[in-house]
Amino acid sequence: MAANSKKTKRRYPGSRPVDGNLARKLNTRELERQLDRSGRMDFDQLYEPQKDSAVERNARRRQQMRSAVRPAQQVSLTALLGFLCAAFLMVVLLLCYVRMNTISRSIVSMKNEIKELKIEQVSLLTQYEQTFDLSAVKEAALAAGMNLPSDSQVYYINLPGEDQATVYQAVENPLGDFLVSIEQKVRAALE
């Protein structure tokens, strides 16, 4: 019991006696930041990056090399010719629309002119018919002293044979006339 009565204190190496409260003084600001971040984890902490395969690394390197050194770009001749052809065709199309519009206007004006001419034709035909009315001509002839011939003044001549006429010309070149007559006979035979 004597051993029990004597209380011995165990000492740890490097420990020294402490006076007062053993609790650590906390920095409240740091504690609030830690508590605020305690529920969140960074993206890198959530997911471990997967190891890239050799194909992916090579593709990434090629992409970086392409983007790093880009050759100076030139306009190709075919693209330039295509653009010029398209521009030319657009201008031609525009000019065709202008021409078509002009033609449409002229057609409308010609239709109006045709209507006016038809109206004028009707009025001129009525004037013409009034001018050459047979009763008006007969009255004008009687007024001028013209009379219809009597039966004693009318003579009818009946000639035997067919109706024909002969034209006589002076002969200048007998050889030419001979050739002309042969030509006429050949044509008559062909007919």
Side-chain angles (χ1 to χ4, degrees):
M1 279 208 166
N4 285 341
S5 64
K6 192 178 177 189
K7 293 189 176 178
T8 61
K9 283 189 175 183
R10 274 192 179 167
R11 295 210 171 214
Y12 296 103
S15 64
R16 54 177 211 238
V18 177
D19 235 4
N21 191 357
L22 291 178
R24 192 190 299 174
K25 288 188 178 180
L26 296 175
N27 186 351
T28 57
R29 286 186 197 159
E30 183 66 29
L31 181 62
E32 287 174 1
R33 278 190 222 133
Q34 285 178 357
L35 287 174
D36 189 37
R37 283 187 276 169
S38 65
R40 296 185 213 149
M41 294 181 74
D42 289 340
F43 181 77
D44 296 336
Q45 293 173 347
L46 284 174
Y47 300 102
E48 291 183 16
Q50 297 177 353
K51 293 185 179 181
D52 293 339
S53 66
V55 174
E56 291 174 346
R57 277 182 273 154
N58 289 338
R60 197 175 311 118
R61 269 193 221 125
R62 275 189 301 241
Q63 184 66 25
Q64 287 173 351
M65 289 173 63
R66 252 188 256 136
S67 63
V69 179
R70 179 176 280 175
Q73 296 197 1
Q74 297 177 351
V75 177
S76 71
L77 184 62
T78 56
L80 182 64
L81 287 175
F83 177 74
L84 289 176
C85 287
F88 175 74
L89 290 175
M90 286 183 359
V91 168
V92 168
L93 181 68
L94 181 65
L95 292 176
C96 287
Y97 277 130
V98 169
R99 180 73 179 141
M100 189 172 67
N101 192 10
T102 306
I103 290 171
S104 297
R105 286 183 185 170
S106 66
I107 288 172
V108 169
S109 66
M110 286 180 186
K111 285 183 179 180
N112 291 336
E113 188 177 339
I114 287 172
K115 287 179 184 176
E116 292 172 3
L117 289 174
K118 283 184 179 180
I119 294 169
E120 187 178 345
Q121 179 189 13
V122 170
S123 66
L124 289 175
L125 279 175
T126 55
Q127 288 177 1
Y128 177 77
E129 290 173 357
Q130 289 174 356
T131 306
F132 290 105
D133 187 20
L134 291 179
S135 61
V137 170
K138 187 176 183 180
E139 289 175 9
L142 291 174
M146 300 173 90
N147 293 325
L148 288 173
S150 63
D151 288 337
S152 63
Q153 293 175 332
V154 176
Y155 294 100
Y156 294 101
I157 301 173
N158 289 327
L159 296 174
E162 298 178 13
D163 292 337
Q164 56 180 322
T166 305
V167 177
Y168 294 101
Q169 293 179 351
V171 176
E172 295 178 7
N173 187 1
L175 182 62
D177 291 338
F178 177 71
L179 291 175
V180 169
S181 65
I182 291 175
E183 180 183 348
Q184 289 175 351
K185 289 179 184 178
V186 170
R187 284 189 182 173
L190 290 175
E191 287 178 6

